[in-house]
PDB file of all heavy atoms in Angstrom:
ATOM      1  N   GLU A 104      -0.431  16.738  -5.267  1.00 95.00           N
ATOM      2  CA  GLU A 104      -0.136  18.106  -4.836  1.00 95.00           C
ATOM      3  C   GLU A 104       0.534  18.144  -3.471  1.00 95.00           C
ATOM      4  O   GLU A 104       1.459  18.938  -3.252  1.00 95.00           O
ATOM      5  CB  GLU A 104      -1.452  18.928  -4.798  1.00 95.00           C
ATOM      6  CG  GLU A 104      -1.987  19.240  -6.166  1.00 95.00           C
ATOM      7  CD  GLU A 104      -3.074  20.321  -6.110  1.00 95.00           C
ATOM      8  OE1 GLU A 104      -3.001  21.182  -5.245  1.00 95.00           O
ATOM      9  OE2 GLU A 104      -4.010  20.237  -6.935  1.00 95.00           O
ATOM     10  N   LEU A 105       0.105  17.293  -2.540  1.00 95.00           N
ATOM     11  CA  LEU A 105       0.651  17.318  -1.203  1.00 95.00           C
ATOM     12  C   LEU A 105       2.049  16.708  -1.120  1.00 95.00           C
ATOM     13  O   LEU A 105       2.918  17.168  -0.351  1.00 95.00           O
ATOM     14  CB  LEU A 105      -0.282  16.611  -0.236  1.00 95.00           C
ATOM     15  CG  LEU A 105      -1.478  17.383   0.264  1.00 95.00           C
ATOM     16  CD1 LEU A 105      -2.311  16.507   1.205  1.00 95.00           C
ATOM     17  CD2 LEU A 105      -1.079  18.654   0.970  1.00 95.00           C
ATOM     18  N   TRP A 106       2.298  15.638  -1.876  1.00 96.00           N
ATOM     19  CA  TRP A 106       3.502  14.837  -1.662  1.00 96.00           C
ATOM     20  C   TRP A 106       4.306  14.544  -2.923  1.00 96.00           C
ATOM     21  O   TRP A 106       5.532  14.738  -2.913  1.00 96.00           O
ATOM     22  CB  TRP A 106       3.121  13.495  -1.023  1.00 96.00           C
ATOM     23  CG  TRP A 106       2.433  13.631   0.306  1.00 96.00           C
ATOM     24  CD1 TRP A 106       1.107  13.435   0.593  1.00 96.00           C
ATOM     25  CD2 TRP A 106       3.035  14.029   1.550  1.00 96.00           C
ATOM     26  NE1 TRP A 106       0.846  13.693   1.906  1.00 96.00           N
ATOM     27  CE2 TRP A 106       2.021  14.051   2.522  1.00 96.00           C
ATOM     28  CE3 TRP A 106       4.348  14.370   1.907  1.00 96.00           C
ATOM     29  CZ2 TRP A 106       2.249  14.396   3.854  1.00 96.00           C
ATOM     30  CZ3 TRP A 106       4.585  14.709   3.231  1.00 96.00           C
ATOM     31  CH2 TRP A 106       3.573  14.716   4.174  1.00 96.00           C
ATOM     32  N   LEU A 107       3.671  14.114  -4.005  1.00 96.00           N
ATOM     33  CA  LEU A 107       4.472  13.623  -5.136  1.00 96.00           C
ATOM     34  C   LEU A 107       5.139  14.747  -5.914  1.00 96.00           C
ATOM     35  O   LEU A 107       6.215  14.581  -6.456  1.00 96.00           O
ATOM     36  CB  LEU A 107       3.560  12.804  -6.079  1.00 96.00           C
ATOM     37  CG  LEU A 107       4.307  11.837  -7.007  1.00 96.00           C
ATOM     38  CD1 LEU A 107       5.087  10.809  -6.161  1.00 96.00           C
ATOM     39  CD2 LEU A 107       3.378  11.133  -7.931  1.00 96.00           C
ATOM     40  N   ASN A 108       4.513  15.901  -5.958  1.00 96.00           N
ATOM     41  CA  ASN A 108       5.122  17.059  -6.623  1.00 96.00           C
ATOM     42  C   ASN A 108       6.500  17.342  -6.026  1.00 96.00           C
ATOM     43  O   ASN A 108       7.491  17.551  -6.732  1.00 96.00           O
ATOM     44  CB  ASN A 108       4.203  18.248  -6.462  1.00 96.00           C
ATOM     45  CG  ASN A 108       4.725  19.480  -7.188  1.00 96.00           C
ATOM     46  OD1 ASN A 108       4.941  19.449  -8.393  1.00 96.00           O
ATOM     47  ND2 ASN A 108       4.935  20.552  -6.474  1.00 96.00           N
ATOM     48  N   ARG A 109       6.564  17.312  -4.716  1.00 96.00           N
ATOM     49  CA  ARG A 109       7.856  17.558  -4.015  1.00 96.00           C
ATOM     50  C   ARG A 109       8.858  16.456  -4.325  1.00 96.00           C
ATOM     51  O   ARG A 109      10.063  16.724  -4.537  1.00 96.00           O
ATOM     52  CB  ARG A 109       7.574  17.619  -2.513  1.00 96.00           C
ATOM     53  CG  ARG A 109       8.729  18.069  -1.649  1.00 96.00           C
ATOM     54  CD  ARG A 109       8.324  18.040  -0.192  1.00 96.00           C
ATOM     55  NE  ARG A 109       7.034  18.660   0.011  1.00 96.00           N
ATOM     56  CZ  ARG A 109       6.309  18.481   1.107  1.00 96.00           C
ATOM     57  NH1 ARG A 109       6.735  17.710   2.084  1.00 96.00           N
ATOM     58  NH2 ARG A 109       5.129  19.079   1.231  1.00 96.00           N
ATOM     59  N   LEU A 110       8.424  15.200  -4.383  1.00 97.00           N
ATOM     60  CA  LEU A 110       9.317  14.102  -4.650  1.00 97.00           C
ATOM     61  C   LEU A 110       9.869  14.170  -6.088  1.00 97.00           C
ATOM     62  O   LEU A 110      11.030  13.863  -6.328  1.00 97.00           O
ATOM     63  CB  LEU A 110       8.617  12.749  -4.437  1.00 97.00           C
ATOM     64  CG  LEU A 110       8.300  12.394  -2.983  1.00 97.00           C
ATOM     65  CD1 LEU A 110       7.670  11.012  -2.931  1.00 97.00           C
ATOM     66  CD2 LEU A 110       9.554  12.433  -2.117  1.00 97.00           C
ATOM     67  N   CYS A 111       9.020  14.614  -7.031  1.00 96.00           N
ATOM     68  CA  CYS A 111       9.500  14.742  -8.425  1.00 96.00           C
ATOM     69  C   CYS A 111      10.585  15.808  -8.524  1.00 96.00           C
ATOM     70  O   CYS A 111      11.571  15.629  -9.260  1.00 96.00           O
ATOM     71  CB  CYS A 111       8.315  15.067  -9.338  1.00 96.00           C
ATOM     72  SG  CYS A 111       7.188  13.694  -9.633  1.00 96.00           S
ATOM     73  N   VAL A 112      10.395  16.895  -7.802  1.00 96.00           N
ATOM     74  CA  VAL A 112      11.422  17.951  -7.810  1.00 96.00           C
ATOM     75  C   VAL A 112      12.730  17.427  -7.188  1.00 96.00           C
ATOM     76  O   VAL A 112      13.833  17.700  -7.679  1.00 96.00           O
ATOM     77  CB  VAL A 112      10.915  19.203  -7.055  1.00 96.00           C
ATOM     78  CG1 VAL A 112      12.060  20.223  -6.890  1.00 96.00           C
ATOM     79  CG2 VAL A 112       9.753  19.824  -7.793  1.00 96.00           C
ATOM     80  N   ASP A 113      12.623  16.651  -6.104  1.00 96.00           N
ATOM     81  CA  ASP A 113      13.809  16.049  -5.475  1.00 96.00           C
ATOM     82  C   ASP A 113      14.486  15.084  -6.437  1.00 96.00           C
ATOM     83  O   ASP A 113      15.732  15.040  -6.489  1.00 96.00           O
ATOM     84  CB  ASP A 113      13.416  15.307  -4.207  1.00 96.00           C
ATOM     85  CG  ASP A 113      12.968  16.246  -3.078  1.00 96.00           C
ATOM     86  OD1 ASP A 113      13.276  17.456  -3.179  1.00 96.00           O
ATOM     87  OD2 ASP A 113      12.323  15.772  -2.142  1.00 96.00           O
ATOM     88  N   PHE A 114      13.702  14.337  -7.193  1.00 96.00           N
ATOM     89  CA  PHE A 114      14.263  13.399  -8.161  1.00 96.00           C
ATOM     90  C   PHE A 114      15.087  14.167  -9.215  1.00 96.00           C
ATOM     91  O   PHE A 114      16.193  13.756  -9.610  1.00 96.00           O
ATOM     92  CB  PHE A 114      13.159  12.603  -8.835  1.00 96.00           C
ATOM     93  CG  PHE A 114      13.628  11.616  -9.874  1.00 96.00           C
ATOM     94  CD1 PHE A 114      14.130  10.391  -9.502  1.00 96.00           C
ATOM     95  CD2 PHE A 114      13.543  11.951 -11.221  1.00 96.00           C
ATOM     96  CE1 PHE A 114      14.568   9.480 -10.469  1.00 96.00           C
ATOM     97  CE2 PHE A 114      13.991  11.055 -12.186  1.00 96.00           C
ATOM     98  CZ  PHE A 114      14.506   9.819 -11.821  1.00 96.00           C
ATOM     99  N   LEU A 115      14.557  15.285  -9.671  1.00 96.00           N
ATOM    100  CA  LEU A 115      15.255  16.059 -10.701  1.00 96.00           C
ATOM    101  C   LEU A 115      16.516  16.728 -10.163  1.00 96.00           C
ATOM    102  O   LEU A 115      17.465  16.987 -10.922  1.00 96.00           O
ATOM    103  CB  LEU A 115      14.308  17.106 -11.294  1.00 96.00           C
ATOM    104  CG  LEU A 115      13.183  16.553 -12.191  1.00 96.00           C
ATOM    105  CD1 LEU A 115      12.232  17.679 -12.577  1.00 96.00           C
ATOM    106  CD2 LEU A 115      13.788  15.897 -13.420  1.00 96.00           C
ATOM    107  N   ARG A 116      16.549  17.011  -8.881  1.00 95.00           N
ATOM    108  CA  ARG A 116      17.789  17.512  -8.279  1.00 95.00           C
ATOM    109  C   ARG A 116      18.887  16.471  -8.357  1.00 95.00           C
ATOM    110  O   ARG A 116      20.064  16.789  -8.571  1.00 95.00           O
ATOM    111  CB  ARG A 116      17.551  17.945  -6.843  1.00 95.00           C
ATOM    112  CG  ARG A 116      16.712  19.206  -6.662  1.00 95.00           C
ATOM    113  CD  ARG A 116      16.846  19.750  -5.248  1.00 95.00           C
ATOM    114  NE  ARG A 116      15.977  20.896  -5.044  1.00 95.00           N
ATOM    115  CZ  ARG A 116      14.798  20.839  -4.429  1.00 95.00           C
ATOM    116  NH1 ARG A 116      14.402  19.686  -3.929  1.00 95.00           N
ATOM    117  NH2 ARG A 116      14.053  21.908  -4.280  1.00 95.00           N
ATOM    118  N   LEU A 117      18.494  15.217  -8.152  1.00 94.00           N
ATOM    119  CA  LEU A 117      19.474  14.127  -8.221  1.00 94.00           C
ATOM    120  C   LEU A 117      19.842  13.785  -9.656  1.00 94.00           C
ATOM    121  O   LEU A 117      21.004  13.399  -9.915  1.00 94.00           O
ATOM    122  CB  LEU A 117      18.915  12.870  -7.533  1.00 94.00           C
ATOM    123  CG  LEU A 117      18.723  12.921  -6.021  1.00 94.00           C
ATOM    124  CD1 LEU A 117      18.029  11.648  -5.551  1.00 94.00           C
ATOM    125  CD2 LEU A 117      20.099  13.053  -5.349  1.00 94.00           C
ATOM    126  N   TYR A 118      18.885  13.900 -10.569  1.00 93.00           N
ATOM    127  CA  TYR A 118      19.084  13.499 -11.950  1.00 93.00           C
ATOM    128  C   TYR A 118      18.665  14.637 -12.882  1.00 93.00           C
ATOM    129  O   TYR A 118      17.602  14.592 -13.526  1.00 93.00           O
ATOM    130  CB  TYR A 118      18.299  12.233 -12.270  1.00 93.00           C
ATOM    131  CG  TYR A 118      18.627  11.103 -11.314  1.00 93.00           C
ATOM    132  CD1 TYR A 118      17.752  10.749 -10.264  1.00 93.00           C
ATOM    133  CD2 TYR A 118      19.803  10.368 -11.453  1.00 93.00           C
ATOM    134  CE1 TYR A 118      18.056   9.746  -9.373  1.00 93.00           C
ATOM    135  CE2 TYR A 118      20.101   9.330 -10.571  1.00 93.00           C
ATOM    136  CZ  TYR A 118      19.231   9.025  -9.524  1.00 93.00           C
ATOM    137  OH  TYR A 118      19.555   8.022  -8.644  1.00 93.00           O
ATOM    138  N   PRO A 119      19.467  15.673 -12.965  1.00 93.00           N
ATOM    139  CA  PRO A 119      19.068  16.884 -13.743  1.00 93.00           C
ATOM    140  C   PRO A 119      18.933  16.656 -15.237  1.00 93.00           C
ATOM    141  O   PRO A 119      18.348  17.511 -15.914  1.00 93.00           O
ATOM    142  CB  PRO A 119      20.187  17.878 -13.420  1.00 93.00           C
ATOM    143  CG  PRO A 119      21.351  17.034 -12.994  1.00 93.00           C
ATOM    144  CD  PRO A 119      20.763  15.851 -12.303  1.00 93.00           C
ATOM    145  N   GLU A 120      19.457  15.553 -15.747  1.00 89.00           N
ATOM    146  CA  GLU A 120      19.313  15.308 -17.183  1.00 89.00           C
ATOM    147  C   GLU A 120      17.963  14.664 -17.516  1.00 89.00           C
ATOM    148  O   GLU A 120      17.613  14.510 -18.700  1.00 89.00           O
ATOM    149  CB  GLU A 120      20.448  14.396 -17.682  1.00 89.00           C
ATOM    150  CG  GLU A 120      21.813  15.060 -17.644  1.00 89.00           C
ATOM    151  CD  GLU A 120      22.891  14.194 -18.260  1.00 89.00           C
ATOM    152  OE1 GLU A 120      22.704  13.720 -19.380  1.00 89.00           O
ATOM    153  OE2 GLU A 120      23.901  13.982 -17.596  1.00 89.00           O
TER     154      GLU A 120
END
Side-chain angles (χ1 to χ4, degrees):
E104 288 194 33
L105 281 179
W106 301 106
L107 202 61
N108 183 58
R109 188 181 314 163
L110 290 182
C111 287
V112 173
D113 290 342
F114 179 81
L115 289 174
R116 288 196 185 100
L117 291 174
Y118 305 102
E120 293 185 52

